[in-house]
Amino acid sequence: MASTILVVEDEPAIQELIAVNLSFAGHKALRAATVEQADTLIRAELPDLILLDWMLPGASGVSFARKLRTDERTRDIPIIMLTARSGESDKIEGLESGADDYITKPFSPKEMLARIKAVLRRRAPQLTDDLVEVGGLQLDPATHRVFGALASGPQVIDIGPTEFRLLHFFMTHTERVYSRTQLLDQVWGDHVFLEERTVDVHIRRLRHALSPAQKEHLIETVRGSGYRFSASAPRG
Ligand code: CA
């Protein structure tokens, strides 16, 4: 599945190689050569994953990873550190700074893509093609289809692309309340240029889509906070 990946790498040839390989694999690559550039890009669009070089001019990749982990908006973004170092203590420092994985240069594009896939599967299941089943709903990212289990048999749910992404996110992040701002960041990748009521519009459409399968009650409104997908929500 296509993900937005931010590459923070100051060596132009390596940055280019990574970005080209990400594009070939169907991802959208955002590029930065410094922490400042990366910061600007993240403010405009929240990436699904960051490939972060350890040695950068000015602020280091490690300190940037720490900073991302302390900010509520960015703390859940998966980070893979890129580095020429391969010492054990460096690896520990990288992981302690909040990185999810670590790739030592030089690395093959194949290894990089495999690591990205593994980290996304662990940290952002809504971005993988894995089949998800929860609350009597079955969602298949590979075919973009959703089914609801009814006594009369499986019911195909007719759903738009945005509602599909929203439902995919909810089904892989159940029982937790998300604010409208968080949903804009997680599902749309952007809370800066979109209005919060956009979320309400798509929640309404999603509930409407789920109602023939009698599953609309799984999307709960939490007053003053946002929305929650609860597999155990009572109907009625
Ligand atoms: Ca570097």
Side-chain angles (χ1 to χ4, degrees), residues 9-11 53 55 105:
E9 168 63 69
D10 60 312
E11 287 159 70
D53 186 28
M55 297 293 280
K105 295 177 192 172

Side-chain angles (χ1 to χ4, degrees), residues 11 24 31 51 108 114 117 183 191 209 222:
E11 287 159 70
F24 276 151
R31 304 176 186 209
L51 290 171
S108 71
K117 202 170 174 181
L183 289 170
H191 82 254
V222 181

